[in-house]
């Protein structure tokens, strides 16, 4: 999924989706990607409970989220390239096994330091298994079945995301927060059994001799890590030296990354992609939109539990309408974008999402769920349903078809980086630091400031869409892969390209 397409892929068995083997293969890849998605949606709900149990500060809880996002963001493109080179099934199996062991370490962590380190290891496993699941669907199934297989993969994996907050809340209030990680172990065992028995190996023969851009991945990790450490440290009690030095390291690594990628024959992030004005604008929109989403969904569970007194299950269930609306409406939004062009949904969708976030200003101590929380999350979900799939279509339409896989991976990485940086920066920007996340009044005030900031991010994305996206950029074509559904940042499907426009 995240690697560059090559002209000479190694032949893989053309499995029919209707066969018993096809159904088991689909079950395997859905469980694999669903496991990673489930883990991403349950951790935010668990943060207040983790903090109380471990005696952790807000900065430590930020790192519980960001350690995972850091390694995942830095290695996602590299993981896709590894699958193309050494084998997609082999990479998936390695990623699932790694993810399971890291999950067990998270569940058994005696303190915040061990938990943060284990979360970083988890991110490495996710970077291996996430791109491999969709790549296997596209390489293993018969061409006539690929559309249905990708659609089923997208929908069923989305269900895992929908169940995440509910299941996480139930586990946190029941056996304890550690089980949100430990539950991955039996799930991973099932995936490994299915992969080894039913999934055929496939790889890209043309990529076999291509060099890994390991230096690029390391520099990306240093850049993101240095910036994140500085932002999180600045929101706590760290000294100017202890935050300034990581910031300098991050800036130097970022500059070196740009130079290295310009000079390498096979870079992880080809600078030539950004020669397309539309591609650059779409990824800038992705940064704004997913920063808005990430900031909202990071602090909303804290607001519900600390300021409103919800338990973990109630907080997890409260955001369920967002995912349900995306599952129900995202495919229709993709159809709309193909009929009228992506401009309208990419302008209207972020503005509707901004309205939903501003409605969260009404959420405070004493607010009823039906009149306070539900309208806000429903409007947010409606807005996200309008823009998520058309954003994917626009990203993929901005490059030549043979680079669609790489473009999808870059856009996926941009979404992860946005969430990584907003979790690091937002508490500092809204004045939430130290142990303030345990005080209802402090959390309530910071949450309302954060809602205004996230609404501004959504509005900026709408402005960018109005300025740079035109209806002609995406048009329907019958011979294309299935249209993207709710998980745009994983690049489901590829829309038609309007040749020669705004490159």
């Amino acid at each position: 999924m995240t690697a560059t397409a090559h002209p000479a892929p190694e032949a893989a068995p053309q499995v029919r989706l209707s066969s018993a083997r096809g159904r088991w293969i689909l079950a395997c890849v859905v469980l694999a990607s669903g496991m990673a998605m489930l883990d991403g949606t349950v951790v935010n709900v668990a943060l207040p409970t983790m903090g109380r149990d471990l005696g952790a500060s807000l900065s430590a809880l930020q790192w519980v989220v960001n350690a995972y996002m850091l390694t995942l963001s830095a290695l996602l493109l590299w993981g896709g390239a590894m699958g193309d080179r050494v084998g997609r099934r082999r990479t998936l199996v390695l990623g699932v096994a790694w993810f399971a062991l890291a999950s067990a370490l998270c569940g058994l962590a005696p303190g915040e330091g061990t938990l943060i380190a284990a979360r970083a290891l988890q991110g490495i496993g996710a970077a291996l298994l996430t791109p491999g699941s969709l790549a296997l669907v596209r390489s293993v199934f018969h061409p006539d079945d690929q559309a249905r297989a990708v659609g089923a993969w997208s929908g069923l994996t989305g269900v895992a995301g929908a169940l995440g907050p509910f299941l996480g809340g139930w586990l946190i209030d029941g056996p304890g927060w550690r089980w949100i990680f430990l539950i991955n172990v039996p799930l991973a065992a099932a995936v490994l059994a299915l992969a080894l028995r039913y999934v055929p190996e496939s790889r890209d023969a043309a990529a076999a001799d291509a060099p890994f851009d390991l230096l690029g991945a390391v520099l990306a990790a240093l850049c993101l890590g240095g910036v994140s450490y500085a932002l999180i440290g600045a929101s706590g009690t760290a000294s100017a030296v202890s935050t300034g030095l990581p910031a300098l390291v991050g800036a130097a690594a970022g500059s070196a990354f740009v130079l290295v990628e310009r000079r390498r024959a096979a870079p992880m992030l080809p600078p030539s992609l950004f020669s397309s004005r539309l591609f650059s604008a779409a990824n800038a929109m992705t940064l704004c939109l997913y920063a808005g989403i990430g900031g909202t969904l990071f602090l909303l569970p804290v607001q519900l539990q600390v300021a409103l007194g919800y338990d973990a299950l109630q907080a997890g269930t409260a955001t369920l309408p967002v995912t349900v609306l995306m599952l129900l409406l995202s495919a229709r939004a993709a159809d709309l974008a193909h009929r009228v062009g992506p401009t309208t949904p990419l302008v209207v969708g972020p503005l509707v999402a901004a309205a939903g976030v501003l409605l969260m200003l009404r959420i405070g101590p004493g607010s009823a769920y039906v009149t306070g929380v539900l309208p806000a999350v429903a409007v947010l979900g409606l807005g996200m349903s309008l823009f998520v799939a058309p954003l994917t279509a626009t990203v993929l339409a901005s490059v030549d078809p043979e680079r669609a896989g790489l473009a999808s991976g870059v856009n996926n990485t941009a979404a992860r980086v946005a969430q990584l940086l907003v979790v690091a920066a937002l508490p500092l920007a809204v004045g939430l630091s130290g142990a303030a996340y345990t005080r209802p009044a402090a959390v309530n005030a910071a949450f309302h400031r954060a809602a205004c900031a996230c609404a501004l991010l959504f509005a900026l994305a709408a402005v960018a869409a109005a300025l740079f996206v035109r209806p002609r950029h995406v048009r329907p074509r019958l011979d294309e892969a299935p249209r993207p559904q709710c998980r745009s940042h994983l690049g489901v499907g590829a829309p038609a390209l309007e040749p020669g426009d705004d490159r």
Side-chain angles (χ1 to χ4, degrees):
M1 177 187 69
T2 57
T4 308
H6 296 283
E10 180 179 291
Q14 299 291 288
V15 180
R16 301 306 302 238
L17 182 60
S18 59
S19 67
R21 187 183 190 188
R23 289 192 292 270
W24 283 119
I25 292 173
L26 183 62
C28 174
V29 295
V30 166
L31 278 175
S33 54
M35 181 174 62
M37 190 172 187
L38 185 75
D39 195 78
T41 57
V42 301
V43 171
N44 287 353
V45 178
L47 291 177
T49 306
M50 287 180 185
R52 289 192 301 269
D53 188 33
L54 299 176
S57 65
L58 177 62
S59 61
L61 296 180
Q62 288 173 275
W63 273 115
V64 170
V65 176
N66 273 2
Y68 176 85
M69 296 302 301
L70 173 62
T71 51
L72 175 58
S73 301
L75 299 176
L76 193 59
L77 290 172
W78 187 77
M82 181 176 175
D84 286 346
R85 179 175 179 174
V86 306
R88 299 182 180 104
R89 185 187 74 165
R90 185 177 301 170
T91 303
L92 178 72
V93 167
L94 174 61
V96 169
W98 188 298
F99 191 86
L101 290 173
S103 296
L105 288 175
C106 290
L108 300 173
E112 61 187 52
T114 306
L115 178 59
I116 292 168
R119 285 283 286 166
L121 292 175
Q122 242 193 340
I124 297 174
L128 294 174
L129 72 89
T130 299
S133 60
L134 181 58
L136 279 169
V137 171
R138 300 298 295 270
S139 63
V140 167
F141 285 105
H142 190 280
D144 293 342
D145 291 338
Q146 284 189 13
R148 287 189 297 125
V150 172
W153 173 86
S154 178
L156 292 172
T157 305
V159 170
L163 292 176
F166 177 81
L167 177 61
W170 178 77
L171 289 171
I172 294 161
D173 288 338
W177 65 265
R178 295 179 183 275
W179 281 93
I180 67 174
F181 301 114
L182 295 176
I183 197 174
N184 290 327
V185 177
L187 289 176
V191 173
L192 291 175
L194 291 174
L196 294 174
R197 179 172 176 82
Y198 295 107
V199 178
E201 184 61 279
S202 68
R203 60 174 59 85
D204 192 332
D209 298 325
F212 280 140
D213 187 11
L214 186 57
L215 178 59
V218 171
L219 289 173
L222 286 173
C223 174
L224 295 173
V227 172
S228 297
Y229 189 92
L231 290 171
I232 292 174
S235 65
T237 58
S239 66
V241 174
S242 60
T243 57
L245 183 59
L248 289 175
V249 170
S255 301
F257 175 79
V258 172
L259 294 175
V260 167
E261 298 303 283
R262 286 182 178 276
R263 296 179 180 179
R264 293 184 79 88
M268 182 177 72
L269 181 61
S272 60
L273 278 175
F274 295 93
S275 63
S276 164
R277 185 178 65 179
L278 179 60
F279 181 80
S280 300
N283 279 283
M285 291 166 56
T286 298
L287 288 171
C288 290
L289 292 171
Y290 280 91
I293 294 169
T296 302
L297 298 184
F298 175 64
L299 288 181
L300 179 58
V302 179
Q303 168 77 348
L304 293 177
Q305 293 178 73
V306 177
L308 276 72
Y310 283 32
D311 60 30
L313 178 58
Q314 291 171 328
T317 308
T319 59
L320 198 58
V322 174
T323 308
V324 171
L325 283 169
M326 291 184 67
L327 289 173
L328 293 176
L329 300 178
S330 288
R332 295 181 182 180
D335 289 334
L336 176 66
H338 276 254
R339 288 198 307 270
V340 305
T343 308
T344 298
L346 288 179
V347 172
V348 175
L351 292 178
V352 172
V357 175
L358 289 177
L359 283 174
M360 292 182 185
L361 294 174
R362 301 169 61 243
I363 300 175
S367 297
Y369 177 76
V370 173
T371 58
V373 181
L374 181 58
V377 296
V379 174
L380 173 63
L382 177 61
M384 289 170 60
S385 300
L386 287 173
F387 70 70
V388 165
L391 180 61
T392 301
T394 302
V395 168
L396 298 181
S398 66
V399 299
D400 295 324
E402 62 270 16
R403 308 187 87 184
L406 179 60
S408 171
V410 171
N411 189 242
N412 191 1
T413 302
R416 308 284 186 175
V417 168
Q419 294 169 324
L420 167 74
L421 294 179
V422 78
V423 170
L426 190 59
L428 173 64
V430 299
L432 191 64
S433 61
Y437 77 95
T438 63
R439 298 195 293 270
V443 168
N444 187 59
F447 177 74
H448 289 166
R449 289 190 288 267
C452 294
C454 291
L456 178 60
L457 289 169
F458 285 122
L460 288 174
V463 171
L467 291 175
F468 297 106
V469 180
R470 297 292 176 265
R472 67 181 181 273
H473 287 146
V474 179
R475 65 183 184 189
R477 208 171 74 188
L478 297 178
D479 60 340
E480 289 292 342
R483 295 180 183 122
Q485 297 187 28
C486 64
R487 299 182 64 203
S488 75
H489 55 286
L490 293 185
V492 182
L497 177 70
E498 186 72 26
D501 284 332
D502 292 307
R503 294 292 181 80

